[in-house]
């Protein structure tokens, strides 16, 4: 028997134990082990019931995701789960941790389910662009009501044991050792001579109004999960459970699943699953470098960013000292934090006492000396070099030796900021995204002198506050904002040529961006980009049309939502409508600048925004600012609203084909302003060699 699975029998109860760290994924060796165990159990006279349980921190966390790219080796999922379901003795799944995907499907093929009180059950396959293809779509609606089953699969969110019991999925919830709990349950079954209770023999629950239900769910999916194929495919598969006999339903499910696995959507999402984890690995960093503990945090600046960052740490139970120069700013900042928490309380996601606990963790101060005991101080003030330097000089005097000083700058040269301290090795960039308490991304900027343990601490603290930390080196805008620069430049230029903000944003949104860039500027404040450009005026291209729309709106005080108008008009509820005055103003300006009046189509808008951004991404790779193409994808999907199902800009580029992008860039060089359309040497090299960013990245690993 493969060693990932063992079988032991004691007092007529067989225990099948899966032990395959880290998460007991249902890889080939686990499937082979299960097959062997259930084959061995056939015909045993000394067995009355079977328990399936797992060693380690969790029950089976799903299929081995990597195997989808290499092909599923025998034995297949159906064969193994069929053996479990066919078992002549009652089979009890004893679940702790998370039973996810294929792991959950093991529990569905079992005859009974016992859960630890902290266990959770979920079918998150849609997050990977696939469906529960090991019988999940057929068995779950036979165990819990159809609508609840659909919702669980559509949401991809695991449900707690108590909920699973309420719905009828779980037979018993236990508090102590889960294997012991499973055995005790199995003994009771044996004592009363209980027979196997096979899921496949049960009828689908709550199927009376199935037609209406499926129609409603399809409409919901079409609206909320646009551009995706797996959610609709999932509904087709579940409908099979209602319409077809079990075995045929299983076949239909397999056919659907087999189509989804190799599709771009699933490949993109698998790519991100691994990319999200790969970001933690920093080449060249010795394995023995340890993070410094972060148990107290200081934040400088009680504005939107400082407040949001304070919330991140308070949410993680870490005490925060929040400093601002003015009492009014501090009061306003604390009031905003409370208001944000109150919103969570009213939505039901936070309890009132948790709100109070979190507020108590945040201590406002005007006094720099109060930051003296912090392990990590994060500066989060206005984006201005002189101001940041002044603050860092002050921090250098009060912050204890060995503490880390981070800056939340989004564009500035951190080496220059670090140089004003006597300890540049303790300085690191910690670039949060607004709203900091919500956004997943933390860009960690590795400055020239940042020490390795500070970098490791930055990665650890990202985890501590449940963020995805991605390391970048110092350059203007790091990874995210540097690539945003050409993307938004093209978007704005289209307005001078004859497109409307709605057309530009519409093209980006139809592609799947969470928001169009012009609406983003209105939301963040049109002045933000304008002010950073003022800071680096001497470095900007010699081009009067460069970000001209932004400048014009700033000159008029049309700063976006906060001003009631920007690229769009906003009513008191911040509902957006087109602004004919702005449209006309920008067209007129285009004419004045001698720009030929034309209306770029949706495809062109997209290509210009995305390809210029991808080209910049290639430069970041060559310059070593980003460590990996996949890191760029993580930055964009976790911080910039790039659709996960397209895998991030660099994966997307590979899926379009680098040669196609390269050729289009050359075309744009002859039809648009050539200074912006030189292919990055890396892009050119890969395109002409018929290669991809993924191949380039893989080649560097070896
Ligand atoms: C499925 O089941 C399809 C079926 O319907 C069958 C169809 C035919 N595979 O996340 P962590 C690795 S689809 C391979 O840092 P945590 C992970 O890469 C699957 N590897 O830990 C990492 O490796 P490394 C449905 C996996 O404690 C290490 O384990 N299942 C898998 O923060 C630790 O992971 C899912 O979608 C896997 N399935 O979170 C669940 N899972 O250290 C996916 C983990 O080298 N997994 N790894 O970077 C999770 O959500 C989380 O890992 C879990 C633990 C919550 C379990």
């Amino acid at each position: 028997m493969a060693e990932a699975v063992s079988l032991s029998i004691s007092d007529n109860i067989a225990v099948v134990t899966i032990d395959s760290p880290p998460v007991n994924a249902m890889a080939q060796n686990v499937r082979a082990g299960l097959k062997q165990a259930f084959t061995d159990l056939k015909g045993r006279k000394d067995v009355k019931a079977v328990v399936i349980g797992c060693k380690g921190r969790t029950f089976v966390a799903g299929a081995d995701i990597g195997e989808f790219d290499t092909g599923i080796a025998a034995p297949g999922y159906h064969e193994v789960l069929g053996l479990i379901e066919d078992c002549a003795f009652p089979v009890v799944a004893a679940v702790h941790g998370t039973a996810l995907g294929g792991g959950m499907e093991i529990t569905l093929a079992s005859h009974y389910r016992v859960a630890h009180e902290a266990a959770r059950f979920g079918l998150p396959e849609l997050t990977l662009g696939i469906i529960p293809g090991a019988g999940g779509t057929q068995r779950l609606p036979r165990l819990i009501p159809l609508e609840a089953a659909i919702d669980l699969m559509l949401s991809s969110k695991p449900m707690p044991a108590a909920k699973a019991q309420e719905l009828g999925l779980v037979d018993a919830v236990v508090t102590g050792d889960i294997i012991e709990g499973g055995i005790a349950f199995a003994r009771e079954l044996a004592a009363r001579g209980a027979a196997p209770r096979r899921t496949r023999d049960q009828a689908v629950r709550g199927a009376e109004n199935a037609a209406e239900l499926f129609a409603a769910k399809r409409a919901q999916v079409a609206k909320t999960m646009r551009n995706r194929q797996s959610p609709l495919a999932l509904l087709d598969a579940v409908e099979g459970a209602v319409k077809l006999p079990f075995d045929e339903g299983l076949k239909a499910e397999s056919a659907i699943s087999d189509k989804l696995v190799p599709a771009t959507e699933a490949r993109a999402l698998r790519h991100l699953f691994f990319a999200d984890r790969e970001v933690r690995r920093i080449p060249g960093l010795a394995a023995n470098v340890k993070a410094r503990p972060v148990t107290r945090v200081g934040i400088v600046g009680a504005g939107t960013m400082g407040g949001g960052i304070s919330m991140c740490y308070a949410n993680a139970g870490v005490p925060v000292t929040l400093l601002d120069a003015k009492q009014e700013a501090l009061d306003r900042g604390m009031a905003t934090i409370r208001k944000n928490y109150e919103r969570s309380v009213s939505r039901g996601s936070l309890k009132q006492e948790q709100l109070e606990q979190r507020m108590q963790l945040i201590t406002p101060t005007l006094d720099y000396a109060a930051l003296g005991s912090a392990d990590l101080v994060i500066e989060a003030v206005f984006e201005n070099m002189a101001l940041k330097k002044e603050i860092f000089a002050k921090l250098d005097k009060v912050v204890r030796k060995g503490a880390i000083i981070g800056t939340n700058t989004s564009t500035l040269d951190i080496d220059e900021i670090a140089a004003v301290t006597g300890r540049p090795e303790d300085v690191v960039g910690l670039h949060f995204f607004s709203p900091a308490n919500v956004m997943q991304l933390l860009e960690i900027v590795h400055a020239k002198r940042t020490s390795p343990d500070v970098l490791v601490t930055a990665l650890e603290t990202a985890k501590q506050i449940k963020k995805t930390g991605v390391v970048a080196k110092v350059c203007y805008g790091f990874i995210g904002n540097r690539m945003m620069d050409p993307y938004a430049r093209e978007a704005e230029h289209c307005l001078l040529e004859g497109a409307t903000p709605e057309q530009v944003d519409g093209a980006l949104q139809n592609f799947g961006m969470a928001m169009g860039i012009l609406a983003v500027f209105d939301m963040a404040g049109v002045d933000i980009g304008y002010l950073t450009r003022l800071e680096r005026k001497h470095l900007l291209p010699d081009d009067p049309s460069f970000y001209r729309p932004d400048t014009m709106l700033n000159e008029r005080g049309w700063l976006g939502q906060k001003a009631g108008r920007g690229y769009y008009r906003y009513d008191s509820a911040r509902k957006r409508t087109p602004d004919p005055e702005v449209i006309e103003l920008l067209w007129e300006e285009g004419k004045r600048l001698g720009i030929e009046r034309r209306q770029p189509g949706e495809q062109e808008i997209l290509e210009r925004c995305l390809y210029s951004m991808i080209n910049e991404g290639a430069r970041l790779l060559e310059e070593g600012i980003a460590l990996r193409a996949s890191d760029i994808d993580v930055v964009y999907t976790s911080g910039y609203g790039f659709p996960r199902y397209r895998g991030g800009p660099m994966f997307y580029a590979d899926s379009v084909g680098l040669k196609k992008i390269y050729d289009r860039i050359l075309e744009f060089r002859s039809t648009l302003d050539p200074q912006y359309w030189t292919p990055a040497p890396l892009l050119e090299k890969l395109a002409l060699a018929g290669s991809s960013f993924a191949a380039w990245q893989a080649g560097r690993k070896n």
Side-chain angles (χ1 to χ4, degrees), residues 468-524:
T468 307
V470 182
V471 173
K473 292 271 174 57
V474 176
C475 72
Y476 166 76
F478 318 125
I479 296 175
N481 283 347
R482 181 157 147 196
M483 285 172 67
M484 197 35 62
D485 209 54
Y487 172 86
R489 178 198 72 219
E490 288 307 307
E492 292 203 13
H493 204 275
C494 289
L495 301 178
L496 299 173
E497 290 166 31
T500 67
E502 272 195 311
Q503 284 163 347
V504 171
D505 280 349
L508 300 173
Q509 266 185 298
N510 288 343
F511 172 76
M513 298 300 290
M515 281 174 85
I517 188 64
L518 305 169
V520 169
F521 286 164
D522 273 359
M523 190 178 71

Side-chain angles (χ1 to χ4, degrees), residues 22-23 57 61-65 101-102 105 125 132-133 273 277 280-281:
V23 296
R57 57 176 150 146
D64 174 2
I65 296 169
E105 288 169 306
E125 278 82 350
F273 178 85
R277 287 157 179 82
R280 299 183 217 144
R281 285 186 256 277

Side-chain angles (χ1 to χ4, degrees), residues 47-362:
V47 172
K48 294 212 167 107
V50 184
V51 175
I52 305 178
C54 287
K55 281 245 168 74
R57 57 176 150 146
T58 180
F59 195 79
V60 175
D64 174 2
I65 296 169
E67 214 184 348
F68 290 119
D69 287 314
T70 54
I72 311 281
Y77 287 88
H78 288 307
E79 182 183 353
V80 174
L81 298 191
L83 277 171
I84 295 175
E85 192 163 47
D86 286 344
C87 184
F89 325 108
V91 179
V92 180
V95 177
H96 75 293
T98 40
L100 298 177
M104 165 97 158
E105 288 169 306
I106 292 180
T107 76
L108 303 177
S110 300
H111 307 144
Y112 299 88
R113 283 147 295 272
V114 174
H116 184 266
E117 59 176 349
R120 289 181 304 147
F121 293 78
L123 289 169
E125 278 82 350
L126 287 190
T127 61
L128 293 165
I130 56 175
I131 60 167
T137 65
Q138 306 303 297
R139 290 194 178 96
L140 187 62
R142 290 178 152 84
L143 293 173
I144 70 173
L146 180 60
E147 184 165 12
I150 293 174
D151 288 346
L152 187 85
M153 291 185 262
L154 282 182
S155 79
S156 292
K157 289 207 184 87
M159 63 177 160
K163 178 78 183 165
Q165 188 176 30
E166 187 189 310
L167 288 172
L169 179 69
V170 161
D171 299 284
V173 174
V174 300
T175 49
D177 182 89
I178 183 63
I179 302 293
E180 289 306 319
I183 292 173
F185 190 85
R187 278 197 202 300
E188 277 173 35
L189 292 175
R192 65 179 152 90
R197 186 187 59 184
R198 297 192 175 93
T199 307
R200 63 164 189 243
D201 296 337
Q202 298 174 45
V204 169
R205 289 178 59 190
E208 303 75 28
N209 299 314
E212 288 89 336
L213 182 63
F214 281 106
K217 296 293 172 190
R218 285 196 172 98
Q220 174 197 325
V221 159
K223 229 165 76 195
T224 58
M225 299 171 104
R226 273 196 327 157
N227 294 343
R228 296 197 48 188
Q229 65 180 129
S230 58
L232 286 171
L234 172 86
L235 292 172
D236 291 346
V238 181
E239 201 166 25
V242 177
K243 292 190 166 160
L244 303 171
F246 181 79
D247 286 337
E248 280 181 44
L250 265 194
K251 271 194 206 129
E253 178 198 83
S254 287
I256 293 171
S257 175
D258 289 348
K259 262 200 208 138
L260 294 174
V261 168
T264 306
E265 177 182 323
R267 286 195 302 109
L269 291 164
R270 280 202 291 281
H271 160 74
L272 285 174
F273 178 85
F274 291 113
D276 282 341
R277 287 157 179 82
E278 185 74 11
V279 289
R280 299 183 217 144
R281 285 186 256 277
I282 308 303
L285 209 62
N288 60 357
V289 179
K290 292 269 171 304
R292 302 182 193 173
V294 174
T295 58
R296 296 194 73 81
V297 169
I299 313 277
V300 180
T304 314
M305 286 314 288
I309 300 168
S310 302
M311 289 174 75
C312 295
Y313 281 97
N315 296 348
V318 178
V320 176
T321 306
L322 177 60
L323 179 140
D324 207 292
K326 293 209 182 84
Q327 187 63 46
E328 307 89 86
L330 217 45
D331 292 344
R332 215 178 317 124
M334 290 298 286
T336 306
I337 293 173
R338 180 170 279 279
K339 218 165 65 202
N340 287 339
Y341 279 137
E342 275 166 357
R343 214 170 298 143
S344 304
V345 171
S346 65
R347 272 204 311 261
S349 57
L350 194 75
K351 297 199 181 92
Q352 184 66 33
E353 67 256 34
Q354 287 175 305
L355 175 156
E356 298 304 339
Q357 278 161 6
R358 291 181 195 189
M359 288 307 294
Q360 268 169 22
L361 282 171
I362 306 174

